[in-house]
Amino acid sequence: MAAGYAELLGTRHAARLLVGTLIGRLPNATAPIAIVLFTRAEGGSYSLAGALAAAYGLANAVGQPLLGRAVDLFGQPRVQLPAAVVSALGMVWLALVGTGSVVAAYAAVVVAGLFTPPLEGGLRALWPGVLGGREEKVHAAYAMDAVAQEVMFTVGPLLVTLFVAVWSPAGALLALNAIGVLGALSVVVSEPSRSWRSAPREAHWLGALRSRGLLALLGAFFFVGTALGSITVAGVAYADDHGNQAVYGWLMAALGLGALIGGVFYGARQWAGAPERRLRMLVALLALCYLPLMLTPGPVAMTALAALAGVFLAPALACAFIVVDRHAPAGTVTEAFSWLVTFFGVGAAIGTAVAGPAVELGGTAASFGVASVAGGAALLVLMATQRVLATAGRGRAVAGSSEGVSDGVREVPSGAPPAG
């Protein structure tokens, strides 16, 4: 298992691109907690802190697919690095002006969120070229990518608290965004990023969204995001019930650990059959594992259930990346991956909004019930659209250079007609 991932990381450029992308995404992964801590340190209310974090998230959801489309049109270096710099300047602006002017604070976080570079989608567009177009390696890379995300979203908040402790909330904003720009720079100056070109695309105002298969997938993962968002609130309610806020940390850590373990095992083997069918199975298991959370047993058992609830998350994401790649219309791959990020993030925001009233109306078990309902809804979307998803999008063949690095991705028709 470890040998397989070591072989991937030993491929030329692979480790640099993965690490650079993760570092470049640190500002995005840490923004909500960094904004809240900064706002509170400035004397702002919790309401203002939450509203600023929400404004950042909404702007990010809007900006990702727009910047993803720009990457497909103009290449990675021309979009990713300028966007990273502008996003960082937005956070610098917030650190300098503070929250004394609410309008200025909102403007700063909106700029930072809107221009967050689509490094996540960009990396997935690069994998086929870096790995020589070998399908099994690309699929393993997607799994490794999903695992790495779990590590980032675990380590990121710890870095925020560390920077706040040794410096200040404003210093944390400045440091994390400076690090993020360096990460983006490391990616865009690499040979794969500089040489990558999207396939020719048909001019269409809907872009990637004209694919019915992609729309079906996005609808399903909106609900997966809703489930995860609701668990973050339900976990707080559970910790309050047990009079120990440390329990919340254990639950979230267990959820991430479960996802990490599941992703590692999923990526360690090759899978036969259509990924769309496999995705339905993974989402079904994911939804099934959310159900026991409604039992809300004691902290030890609940931590074990949280770990179980996370096991199928990273595999489902990794499989979803493959499905996105199969159904994205020619020339829209970065945009398509960015739409997945957007729908997942918006779903998570909706989940946090719905789980709060669920706690007040029905207690902690009801708030965990939101995750169960959302997981079931995700499965229903995949079941209802299985004929659409069964229509394979386009296969990809990598036009490799003499050094094994893609000079661009050339899309060729697969055996099935294109979706959408």
Side-chain angles (χ1 to χ4, degrees), residues 58-75:
L58 180 60
N60 181 252
V62 172
Q64 285 296 292
L66 295 177
L67 290 171
R69 181 176 295 193
V71 167
D72 287 327
L73 290 171
F74 305 112

Side-chain angles (χ1 to χ4, degrees), residues 1-418:
M1 188 188 317
Y5 285 119
E7 182 183 358
L8 282 178
L9 292 174
T11 303
R12 189 181 179 207
H13 302 295
R16 172 182 176 172
L17 291 173
L18 179 64
V19 173
T21 297
L22 292 176
I23 293 174
R25 292 178 58 211
L26 265 180
N28 179 234
T30 58
I33 186 172
I35 289 171
V36 169
L37 292 176
F38 175 77
T39 303
R40 291 295 295 151
E42 290 285 302
S45 66
Y46 281 108
S47 296
L48 177 60
L52 288 174
Y56 174 90
L58 180 60
N60 181 252
V62 172
Q64 285 296 292
L66 295 177
L67 290 171
R69 181 176 295 193
V71 167
D72 287 327
L73 290 171
F74 305 112
Q76 294 196 2
R78 293 183 181 181
V79 178
Q80 304 275 39
L81 185 58
V85 171
V86 173
S87 178
L89 289 176
M91 284 302 194
V92 170
W93 182 10
L94 178 65
L96 293 178
V97 303
T99 57
S101 170
V102 175
V103 173
Y106 273 110
V109 297
V110 167
V111 168
L114 190 64
F115 286 93
T116 298
L119 292 167
E120 187 175 349
L123 175 63
R124 289 165 199 153
L126 292 176
W127 281 132
V130 172
L131 300 174
R134 293 177 58 184
E135 186 177 10
E136 72 281 0
K137 282 196 170 186
V138 173
H139 292 182
Y142 286 158
M144 182 174 64
D145 188 353
V147 169
Q149 285 190 66
E150 297 302 324
V151 174
M152 181 187 66
F153 280 100
T154 300
V155 173
L158 297 177
L159 284 177
V160 175
T161 56
L162 175 63
F163 285 138
V164 168
V166 302
W167 197 355
S168 68
L173 283 175
L174 296 173
L176 288 166
N177 280 273
I179 292 171
V181 170
L182 292 177
L185 178 63
S186 174
V187 171
V188 300
V189 299
S190 68
E191 185 179 353
S193 181
R194 287 185 289 107
S195 62
W196 180 85
R197 296 293 181 272
S198 178
R201 60 186 285 149
E202 175 189 348
H204 197 291
W205 69 276
L206 278 175
L209 294 183
R210 68 183 183 271
S211 165
R212 289 176 295 166
L214 180 63
L215 287 174
L217 180 72
L218 296 179
F221 273 79
F222 168 86
F223 288 111
V224 174
T226 302
L228 283 182
S230 68
I231 288 175
T232 62
V233 175
V236 173
Y238 179 86
D240 287 341
D241 290 345
H242 289 77
N244 185 357
Q245 285 300 313
V247 171
Y248 177 74
W250 283 108
L251 292 181
M252 294 301 102
L255 192 70
L257 177 63
L260 191 151
I261 292 172
V264 167
F265 275 91
Y266 177 81
R269 59 163 293 179
Q270 296 181 22
W271 298 88
E276 291 84 0
R277 188 181 304 114
R278 185 163 66 252
L279 181 62
R280 286 195 298 273
M281 179 190 69
L282 290 169
V283 171
L285 291 170
L286 185 65
L288 183 64
C289 290
Y290 287 149
L291 287 172
L293 294 174
M294 297 176 63
L295 299 174
T296 61
V300 174
M302 192 64 176
T303 300
L305 290 179
L308 178 64
V311 166
F312 295 101
L313 176 60
L317 285 171
C319 192
F321 300 157
I322 300 169
V323 177
V324 168
D325 195 44
R326 284 163 59 87
H327 288 270
T332 68
V333 61
T334 310
E335 179 189 345
F337 279 123
S338 299
W339 274 118
L340 182 64
V341 174
T342 289
F343 271 70
F344 192 88
V346 172
I350 297 297
T352 59
V354 172
V359 173
E360 296 173 357
L361 293 173
T364 302
S367 62
F368 280 113
V370 174
S372 299
V373 172
L379 177 60
L380 285 176
V381 170
L382 292 177
M383 295 294 292
T385 59
Q386 58 182 306
R387 291 188 64 183
V388 172
L389 285 167
T391 305
R394 288 175 176 266
R396 276 189 171 81
V398 177
S401 70
S402 59
E403 297 181 41
V405 178
S406 172
D407 291 324
V409 176
R410 168 175 62 86
E411 297 192 1
V412 295
S414 64

